[in-house]
Amino acid sequence: MTEQASPSDRSVSAPIKLLLVDDHPLVRDGIRARFEADELIEVIGEAQNGQQALDFVSQKMPDVVLMDVSMPVMNGLEATQHLRHLYPTMPVLILSMHDSREYIQQLVQTGASGYVLKDVSSDELVRAIQTVYQGGSYFSAGVSQMLFQGQVQASEQKQALTPREETVLRHLAEGSSNKEIARALDISVRTVETHRQNIKQKLDIHTAAGLARYAIEQGLVS
Amino acid sequence: MTEQASPSDRSVSAPIKLLLVDDHPLVRDGIRARFEADELIEVIGEAQNGQQALDFVSQKMPDVVLMDVSMPVMNGLEATQHLRHLYPTMPVLILSMHDSREYIQQLVQTGASGYVLKDVSSDELVRAIQTVYQGGSYFSAGVSQMLFQGQVQASEQKQALTPREETVLRHLAEGSSNKEIARALDISVRTVETHRQNIKQKLDIHTAAGLARYAIEQGLVS
DNA sequence: CGATCCCTCCGTAAAACTACGTAGGGGTAT
DNA sequence: ATACCCCTACGTAGTTTTACGGAGGGATCG
């Protein structure tokens, strides 16, 4: 009978206060609609990008943040980093379409409490939210496998790209050749090649197409 | 007082029967939830991919098909082509995340009655459905501009890829080299090269990264 | 049957990319 | 000042991709 809602008496007291972060109104509407009839979860706010999410959290503290990854202005990865820094205990559940390993690992290392793919059912989403609210971790089927596959060597290698490398990668992913990138950035082709080498080594990707794919998944282009 | 519902008396008789085609349960749930309270539109079925959509349409004729583009098994473009062929008058409203020109033009030329981006509001989606049901066309803001920009020269060039070419492109966009693709498909490296050449020529793209980007935009991968 | 398209494979040559190394200059942190 | 990282650039070598050409077998359609 305390005022403070603790995980164990959640179902009989206040619902879980959820902040919804996704740039697609349709997706937000959908999730909101699903939770409207649900007494365990209450959507107390929506945000269209990471920046709005941070603003909202600073005003009304939600219990859980449900976060899309690819968004304009500030993407889910950055937003999660900030959130983790500002509110270390606030659970962030990632809602994403992508199931690539590098992607997920990066987010988990950043501090996400869970990761669900957008092809989950509503019911599974509810379970995931409840789980992270109670301090646990939740990962969709398939996601967890990937995490534990290459965890050992992956945890220390995945290095962040330097700003310049990111620029080169962006151009590359748009379909430019080394020569074109060199012209655009006004540097030598050899330098572009060097950057490309370093990128490939850091990401452990070995084809131009693979790099393009990675860049797009990261939201670096288009 | 006729049994047959005509566009003009829609609001006082039977609601618009809608088929929902999207591979993400969350999106389907969301749209369905939005229309549950709406008496003008009734979701009479859902499909996770183009094949299922065709199957459903052949059994229960919906008034409008709301179709996502990037889906496994059979994507929205193919499905729309088939639908247009089988049921020339059935309105197909495309619901997509992508706003690239080639993309939209291809779909419109295929026979889609409308094209809305996934960042529309629910209300706009309702208007779009009503519009195409009544025989009109509906395009999100921004989309229509693109359509009329480069309409002239674009209408005759963009050739469709053959199934085999699409398969090769898919592998390529996942980051595989020609050698790896050849092994995977059990064909010669030279054949893969030929396919790649033909793809590049058809799409007028000249780098592996560009092809990967195109494939991802088309929803061929991940 | 002829025409056409698709898939398969090859030759040749140039261009681009990959892989590994080295290295100087500039900035920054300790 | 020393160490470290980033950006720049080059050498060399091998591999892959790009670009152009031709060609045979199989399926389909008129």
Side-chain angles (χ1 to χ4, degrees):
Chain A
M1 289 259 197
T2 55
E3 290 180 356
Q4 181 83 21
S6 76
S8 52
D9 63 352
R10 169 189 43 72
S11 57
V12 293
S13 62
I16 301 174
K17 289 180 291 182
L18 184 73
L19 170 61
L20 216 54
V21 189
D22 196 305
D23 57 330
H24 298 305
L26 275 179
V27 175
R28 290 203 307 273
D29 286 358
I31 296 173
R32 184 183 269 278
R34 167 61 179 81
F35 292 152
E36 221 137 65
D38 194 312
E39 63 212 6
L40 303 180
I41 297 172
E42 180 192 359
V43 179
I44 64 164
E46 299 183 5
Q48 296 182 34
N49 57 58
Q51 187 57 58
Q52 285 185 13
L54 292 181
D55 291 348
F56 185 93
V57 171
S58 69
Q59 288 172 10
K60 302 183 189 170
M61 293 283 283
D63 294 322
V64 174
V65 178
L66 182 63
M67 177 108 63
D68 187 21
V69 181
S70 58
M71 290 180 296
V73 185
M74 182 190 290
N75 67 33
L77 179 61
E78 287 179 82
T80 302
Q81 284 173 331
H82 285 276
L83 277 179
R84 179 60 56 246
H85 184 251
L86 295 170
Y87 315 95
T89 62
M90 182 174 296
V92 176
L93 180 62
I94 302 295
L95 179 65
S96 169
M97 287 178 27
H98 306 292
D99 62 349
S100 79
R101 169 124 58 98
E102 310 117 21
Y103 209 52
I104 299 173
Q105 280 180 338
Q106 204 169 347
L107 272 159
V108 172
Q109 282 165 23
T110 294
S113 304
Y115 194 111
V116 292
L117 300 176
K118 270 191 181 165
D119 59 0
V120 297
S121 66
S122 307
D123 292 341
E124 186 176 346
L125 182 58
V126 170
R127 281 199 302 277
I129 292 172
Q130 291 174 339
T131 302
V132 299
Y133 173 61
Q134 291 166 1
S137 300
Y138 192 100
F139 300 96
S140 291
V143 173
S144 14
Q145 293 178 342
M146 273 180 243
L147 281 178
F148 296 114
Q149 265 181 15
Q151 209 186 22
V152 181
Q153 88 280 17
S155 46
E156 39 201 326
Q157 70 180 212
K158 188 62 61 189
Q159 303 171 49
L161 300 181
T162 68
R164 196 58 161 176
E165 284 165 354
E166 204 172 291
T167 304
V168 170
L169 180 53
R170 209 188 314 270
H171 281 262
L172 168 65
E174 276 165 4
S176 302
S177 65
N178 280 347
K179 197 184 288 183
E180 288 168 337
I181 297 172
R183 221 178 359 243
L185 301 181
D186 193 32
I187 55 180
S188 162
V189 176
R190 311 304 304 276
T191 305
V192 179
E193 285 174 356
T194 301
H195 284 311
R196 205 189 258 224
Q197 291 293 338
N198 293 334
I199 296 169
K200 284 188 297 197
Q201 202 201 326
K202 282 183 180 178
L203 302 179
D204 195 29
I205 296 173
H206 304 275
T207 65
L211 287 179
R213 185 188 185 200
Y214 176 87
I216 293 170
E217 280 175 353
Q218 297 302 96
L220 292 179
V221 295
S222 109
Chain B
M1 290 269 198
T2 56
E3 290 181 355
Q4 182 81 22
S6 76
S8 52
D9 64 351
R10 170 189 43 71
S11 57
V12 292
S13 64
I16 301 174
K17 289 179 291 181
L18 184 72
L19 170 61
L20 214 55
V21 189
D22 196 305
D23 57 329
H24 298 304
L26 276 179
V27 176
R28 290 203 309 272
D29 286 359
I31 295 172
R32 182 183 271 278
R34 166 63 180 77
F35 292 152
E36 220 138 66
D38 194 310
E39 64 212 8
L40 303 179
I41 297 173
E42 180 192 358
V43 178
I44 64 163
E46 300 183 4
Q48 296 181 33
N49 57 57
Q51 187 57 59
Q52 285 185 11
L54 292 180
D55 292 348
F56 185 93
V57 171
S58 69
Q59 289 172 9
K60 303 183 190 172
M61 293 283 283
D63 294 321
V64 174
V65 178
L66 181 62
M67 176 107 63
D68 186 22
V69 181
S70 57
M71 290 180 295
V73 184
M74 181 190 290
N75 67 33
L77 179 61
E78 287 178 82
T80 302
Q81 284 173 332
H82 286 276
L83 276 179
R84 177 60 56 246
H85 185 249
L86 295 170
Y87 314 96
T89 62
M90 184 175 295
V92 176
L93 180 62
I94 302 296
L95 179 64
S96 169
M97 286 178 29
H98 307 291
D99 62 348
S100 78
R101 169 124 58 95
E102 310 117 20
Y103 207 51
I104 298 173
Q105 280 180 338
Q106 205 169 346
L107 272 158
V108 172
Q109 281 165 24
T110 294
S113 304
Y115 194 109
V116 292
L117 301 176
K118 270 192 180 163
D119 59 0
V120 298
S121 66
S122 308
D123 291 342
E124 187 176 346
L125 183 58
V126 170
R127 282 198 302 278
I129 292 172
Q130 290 175 340
T131 303
V132 299
Y133 172 61
Q134 290 166 3
S137 300
Y138 192 100
F139 299 96
S140 292
V143 173
S144 13
Q145 294 179 343
M146 273 179 243
L147 281 177
F148 296 114
Q149 268 179 14
Q151 211 182 22
V152 182
Q153 88 281 15
S155 45
E156 40 200 327
Q157 64 182 223
K158 188 65 59 191
Q159 300 173 50
L161 300 181
T162 67
R164 196 57 161 176
E165 285 165 353
E166 204 172 291
T167 304
V168 170
L169 180 54
R170 209 189 314 270
H171 282 262
L172 169 63
E174 277 166 2
S176 302
S177 66
N178 281 346
K179 198 184 287 184
E180 288 168 336
I181 298 171
R183 219 175 1 240
L185 301 182
D186 194 32
I187 56 180
S188 161
V189 175
R190 311 305 304 275
T191 305
V192 180
E193 286 173 358
T194 301
H195 285 310
R196 202 190 263 222
Q197 291 292 338
N198 293 336
I199 295 169
K200 282 189 296 200
Q201 201 202 327
K202 282 183 179 175
L203 303 179
D204 193 31
I205 296 174
H206 304 275
T207 64
L211 287 179
R213 187 189 184 196
Y214 176 85
I216 292 171
E217 278 175 354
Q218 297 301 97
L220 292 177
V221 293
S222 106

